[in-house]
Amino acid sequence: KTAMQIVEIMKVMEARHPVVMATRVSAEKSAEIQAALPQATYFEMARICAIQPSVPLAIRPGKLSILTAGTADLPVAEEAAVTAELCGFQVTRLWDVGVAGIHRLLSNRHVIDQSDVLIVAAGMEGALPSVVAGLADCPVVAVPTSVGYGASFNGLAPLLTMLNSCATGIE
């Protein structure tokens, strides 16, 4: 969509909903959108342009944690985090806790134990969601990313790993 198409959609939606988001928005498009809608906020890492209510939404129950295997997974994970926060959820972020440095994940075991839902983004071989699901007693949403080097095949390898996981609780 063009920036002006996004502006028109956001105007219509703003009249009906307290939160309006456009995802996968480039910095250039966000500048055009914000020129037309000064109330819009741009979340650069998440690539989200959003209109938020002047009074924050009530905090929703439950604890949501979002984990990434590596720093290359940050844009996808931050998109999920900002979306959840805009919808009123409290979010804990654990970045760069993949299996290549499993000690970083294990030193944050308390976050996993205290979470009601975990969203786990991973590229490369996509192993992190299975490891997390083996530690957690809550649903784990596995999100393959198309980043990484080697034989990740633009996200196909992590997707297949996540689909073939034997750990329970992976969604």
Side-chain angles (χ1 to χ4, degrees):
K1 294 181 178 48
T2 67
M4 288 306 110
Q5 288 171 327
I6 294 169
V7 166
E8 291 307 313
I9 292 167
M10 291 181 89
K11 282 180 181 177
V12 170
M13 292 183 72
E14 184 180 22
R16 298 183 179 138
H17 301 283
V19 176
V20 179
M21 297 184 342
T23 60
R24 304 292 168 109
V25 175
S26 68
E28 296 77 28
K29 274 189 190 173
S30 75
E32 290 181 61
I33 293 167
Q34 288 177 301
L37 298 169
Q39 70 274 34
T41 302
Y42 185 60
F43 300 88
E44 186 173 5
M45 177 68 75
R47 298 169 295 171
I48 290 175
C49 195
I51 298 172
Q52 304 170 69
S54 55
V55 176
L57 296 176
I59 302 227
R60 294 184 182 265
K63 181 147 180 146
L64 172 67
S65 297
I66 303 177
L67 294 73
T68 68
T71 55
D73 305 312
L74 284 174
V76 171
E78 194 59 26
E79 181 180 5
V82 169
T83 299
E85 288 172 338
L86 288 170
C87 291
F89 290 96
Q90 294 180 15
V91 175
T92 299
R93 293 165 168 84
L94 287 180
W95 297 161
D96 199 20
V97 294
V99 297
I102 198 76
H103 62 284
R104 295 186 302 255
L105 177 66
L106 296 176
S107 68
N108 285 287
R109 177 73 192 263
H110 63 284
V111 173
I112 294 169
D113 293 340
Q114 296 168 357
S115 297
D116 296 305
V117 175
L118 295 155
I119 298 174
V120 183
M124 296 296 294
E125 79 285 350
L128 185 61
S130 293
V131 173
V132 170
L135 297 170
D137 64 355
C138 65
V140 175
V141 179
V143 181
T145 65
S146 59
V147 297
Y149 48 88
S152 66
F153 298 107
N154 294 319
L156 181 60
L159 172 63
L160 292 174
T161 297
M162 293 172 194
L163 290 173
N164 288 312
S165 176
C166 63
T168 58
I170 292 186
E171 308 289 330

